[in-house]
C-alpha cells in the first residue's frame, strides 16, 4: 500500500496499523528524512516499510512513487492524506496561498487517484481512499482556501467512485469531523481560547490519530456487497 502525505500523526498511525496487518507500506511526504524514525519503528516491530520525500503537486513524482510501491507489492490501497489546513481572513488570503492550498489538497489528490487507478484498473482490484474534513461539507470563516480545496477533492473522489466502482475499485472519502490530537491542533486551541483550555477539554474531544487508522482499516475490510463511499467520523464528545 502507499500513503501520500504520511505525516507524523494520522499518516503514521495508518502506516503502523496496515503494517501490523501484513502490508508493506510505502510512505511519501515533504521532508522525507522525517520518515526514518517511523520506518525504523515499523521494521523493528516486524513490519515492512519504506519511504522517501515526495512532492505530491508534481505528477511525475507521484507516478514514480506509486510505481515504487507497486514494485514492492501489488498496490492494494492508495491513501491520499495531504492536509494543507490554513486559516486566513479573506483579505489576507493571497493568490499564492489559495493556489498552493488547492495544489496540495485538491490537485495532488486528483493526480494520486488517477495514477493509482492506472495501476489498479488492469487487474480490476484495489482501493483508493481520500482523507477529507468538515471543510469539504461547509466553508467556515477564514477557511476559503482550505474549504475550496476540500470541496474539490470530495468532488474528485465522488466522480472517481461512480466511474471506478463498476471495475471493482473501491474509492472512498473519509470526513474527519473533529480536531485530531496533534501538537499543531493543541497549539491552536491554546492560542484561540486560553492558556488552560487544554486542561478543560471534554473526554475524547480530540480524536486520537490511531482511531482514524482503525476507521481506515474497517473501511478497507468492507465487502464489495456493501461498500461505503463517504463516512463521517467524530468523537462522541464532538458537537455536530
Amino acid at each position: 500500500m502507499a500513503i501520500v502525505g504520511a505525516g507524523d500523526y494520522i499518516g503514521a498511525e495508518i502506516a503502523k496499523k496496515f503494517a501490523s496487518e501484513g502490508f508493506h507500506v510505502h510512505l511519501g511526504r515533504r521532508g522525507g528524512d522525517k520518515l526514518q524514525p517511523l520506518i525504523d519503528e515499523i521494521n523493528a516491530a516486524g513490519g515492512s516499510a519504506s519511504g522517501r520525500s515526495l512532492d505530491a503537486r508534481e505528477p511525475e513524482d507521484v507516478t514514480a512513487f506509486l510505481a515504487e510501491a507497486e514494485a514492492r507489492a501489488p498496490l492494494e490501497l492508495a491513501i491520499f492524506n495531504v492536509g494543507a489546513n490554513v486559516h486566513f481572513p479573506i483579505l489576507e488570503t493571497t493568490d499564492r496561498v489559495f493556489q498552493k492550498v488547492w495544489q496540495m489538497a485538491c490537485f495532488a489528490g486528483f493526480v494520486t487517484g488517477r495514477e493509482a487507478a492506472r495501476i489498479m484498473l488492469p487487474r480490476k482490484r484495489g482501493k483508493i481512499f481520500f482523507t477529507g474534513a468538515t471543510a469539504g461539507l461547509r466553508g467556515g470563516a477564514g477557511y476559503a482556501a482550505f474549504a475550496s480545496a476540500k470541496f474539490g477533492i470530495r468532488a474528485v473522489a465522488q466522480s472517481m467512485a461512480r466511474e471506478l466502482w463498476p471495475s471493482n475499485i473501491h474509492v472512498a472519502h473519509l470526513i474527519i469531523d473533529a480536531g485530531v490530537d496533534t501538537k499543531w491542533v493543541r497549539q491552536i486551541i491554546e492560542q484561540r481560547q486560553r492558556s488552560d483550555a487544554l486542561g478543560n477539554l471534554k473526554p475524547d474531544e480530540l480524536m486520537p490519530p490511531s482511531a482514524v487508522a482503525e476507521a481506515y482499516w474497517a473501511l478497507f475490510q468492507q465487502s464489495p456487497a456493501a461498500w461505503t463511499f463517504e463516512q463521517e467520523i467524530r468523537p462522541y464528545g464532538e458537537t455536530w
Side-chain angles (χ1 to χ4, degrees):
M1 67 164 293
I3 303 176
V4 174
D8 295 330
Y9 297 98
I10 292 177
E13 291 299 326
I14 293 172
K16 288 188 283 189
K17 175 61 181 178
F18 277 81
S20 73
E21 297 291 345
F23 287 82
H24 175 83
V25 293
H26 191 48
L27 312 174
R29 64 173 291 175
R30 291 180 299 168
D33 56 307
K34 297 178 182 178
L35 285 170
Q36 197 57 52
L38 174 60
I39 292 171
D40 291 343
E41 179 183 351
I42 290 172
N43 291 334
S48 178
S50 57
R52 66 171 175 85
S53 292
L54 171 66
D55 188 343
R57 300 168 297 175
E58 296 295 334
E60 295 82 3
D61 203 13
V62 174
T63 300
F65 174 78
L66 293 177
E68 293 162 8
E70 169 75 2
R72 292 177 178 273
L75 187 62
E76 297 290 340
L77 171 64
I79 293 180
F80 180 75
N81 185 58
V82 174
N85 189 347
V86 298
H87 181 271
F88 289 105
I90 191 65
L91 297 185
E92 297 176 20
T93 303
T94 64
D95 297 349
R96 182 178 181 275
V97 164
F98 191 93
Q99 292 170 355
K100 185 176 181 180
V101 171
W102 177 82
Q103 288 176 337
M104 292 172 62
C106 186
F107 175 70
F110 153 72
V111 171
T112 298
R114 181 189 67 191
E115 296 307 299
R118 200 184 301 279
I119 292 172
M120 295 172 181
L121 271 171
R123 55 179 174 253
K124 294 188 179 298
R125 188 181 76 252
K127 298 174 186 287
I128 305 169
F129 295 164
F130 297 88
T131 300
T134 310
L137 299 178
R138 60 181 183 271
Y143 289 99
F146 183 60
S148 66
K150 284 299 186 180
F151 264 79
I153 198 58
R154 181 175 183 246
V156 169
Q158 191 174 75
S159 296
M160 285 182 56
R162 290 174 178 268
E163 180 177 345
L164 298 178
W165 276 30
S167 297
N168 197 35
I169 309 296
H170 184 188
V171 180
H173 182 245
L174 189 73
I175 297 171
I176 302 175
D177 183 31
V180 178
D181 196 354
T182 67
K183 181 179 179 180
W184 180 77
V185 168
R186 287 180 171 268
Q187 288 174 341
I188 293 297
I189 291 173
E190 287 184 314
Q191 291 168 5
R192 293 184 185 172
Q193 297 183 31
R194 57 187 186 277
S195 60
D196 63 343
L198 290 174
N200 294 323
L201 287 174
K202 300 175 184 176
D204 282 348
E205 188 170 341
L206 293 180
M207 182 180 292
S210 59
V212 181
E214 291 292 343
Y216 266 124
W217 176 245
L219 197 60
F220 180 84
Q221 292 183 295
Q222 286 185 338
S223 164
W227 275 348
T228 293
F229 164 66
E230 188 162 78
Q231 181 176 358
E232 297 180 43
I233 59 172
R234 59 182 64 84
Y236 69 84
E238 178 73 19
T239 301
W240 62 290

